[in-house]
Amino acid sequence: MNFAGRTAVVTGGSRGIGRAVCLELARGGANVALCYAGNETAAQETAAAIEALGAKALAVRCDVSDAAQAESLVSQAVEAFGTVDILVNNAGITRDGLLMRMPEADFDAVISANLKGAFLCMKAVARLMIRRKYGRIVNLSSVVGLRGNAGQVNYAASKAGVIGMTKSLAKELASKGVTVNAVAPGFIETDMTAAMQEAARMAVQASIPMGRPGAAEDVAHAVAFLASEEAAYITGQVLAVDGGMAM
């Protein structure tokens, strides 16, 4: 897909799915501003990989749940590349635990990072995109946001909330030339899933009709499609990339 002349902001872009998205967009010619929470080494490695593909990169440390930092991220992208055409809200955390044992702080942290962070970044780019009458916003939800999962009431709530926000903002911006969609990954091989116990991994894998986990690149392809010109008439949708888990 052709993203030549476009600028993308990708939150949580230093590793895993975020890195795969950055590279997929850069492969199509987009300049990429990626934000990271704390791993500067990984962020700089991703930036170098973007530049190796012939695109320009900017790595910004940012807590997306802080309004001033979210606005600064977008401002720095505009200063470096002139505008923002694409926003991919990928930043997220987990704090798993059964509801009866879950500290309120763990619930608040996940909602703040996953849901509020997406809200603040969308708010930061919305006026810019409306003014230009062009924009692509792609939010990362999860299969957990579609069907729930024991031990993840906070994560499921945040990812279901992302879907609700996506559909609502899509209705607000549809007439302005801005599309807003979501991708809901299933069980994807990342650092997060690699830390799971083997028994838990096998149990999840058994629930996947395709019988295997996905790769970060599988999600990146879906994100790139929704960010492309080819998806210009698609908005308010949720694309599950999950090997059939949510069926």
Side-chain angles (χ1 to χ4, degrees):
M1 294 168 200
N2 185 6
F3 297 108
R6 300 296 188 193
T7 294
V9 170
V10 181
T11 70
S14 63
R15 297 180 296 169
I17 290 172
R19 175 180 287 184
V21 169
C22 288
L23 298 183
E24 187 67 18
L25 295 175
R27 209 168 276 119
N31 298 319
V32 182
L34 65 109
C35 88
Y36 64 98
N39 192 331
E40 184 175 359
T41 299
Q44 293 301 332
E45 288 173 352
T46 301
I50 290 167
E51 292 174 346
L53 291 169
K56 296 178 181 178
L58 173 69
V60 179
R61 186 166 186 166
C62 175
D63 175 0
V64 294
S65 68
D66 180 273
Q69 291 187 47
E71 291 170 4
S72 177
L73 167 64
V74 173
S75 296
Q76 288 182 64
V78 171
E79 183 177 349
F81 304 125
T83 190
V84 173
D85 304 288
I86 301 163
L87 169 66
V88 180
N89 280 310
N90 171 73
I93 63 172
T94 58
R95 296 286 187 273
D96 295 349
L98 296 175
L99 180 142
M100 295 299 293
R101 300 174 184 170
M102 181 177 291
E104 184 178 349
D106 285 357
F107 183 88
D108 289 345
V110 170
I111 295 297
S112 184
N114 300 3
L115 185 59
K116 183 182 178 183
F119 161 76
L120 290 173
C121 290
M122 290 192 296
K123 188 174 182 181
V125 302
R127 185 171 286 107
L128 176 65
M129 291 180 172
I130 290 170
R131 188 162 57 243
R132 298 183 65 243
K133 298 187 183 304
Y134 181 89
R136 300 283 187 269
I137 298 174
V138 185
N139 296 321
L140 271 292
S141 180
S142 169
V143 65
V144 173
L146 293 170
R147 63 180 233 176
N149 192 41
Q152 290 191 305
V153 294
N154 49 1
Y155 188 74
S158 72
K159 293 303 186 178
V162 164
I163 292 173
M165 274 199 316
T166 296
K167 291 180 177 292
S168 297
L169 189 60
K171 290 185 176 182
E172 291 183 20
L173 301 184
S175 65
K176 312 298 184 183
V178 181
T179 66
V180 189
N181 292 287
V183 173
F187 187 60
I188 307 297
E189 291 283 13
T190 63
D191 292 345
M192 191 181 297
T193 57
M196 294 175 64
Q197 294 183 353
E198 186 63 19
R201 285 175 58 85
M202 291 298 100
V204 173
Q205 190 162 318
S207 71
I208 303 171
M210 292 187 77
R212 62 174 179 82
E217 290 73 19
D218 294 320
V219 181
H221 294 323
V223 171
F225 168 65
L226 291 172
S228 72
E229 293 303 312
E230 288 80 358
Y233 200 56
I234 300 172
T235 196
Q237 302 304 305
V238 182
L239 177 56
V241 183
D242 62 359
M245 282 182 75
M247 287 194 294

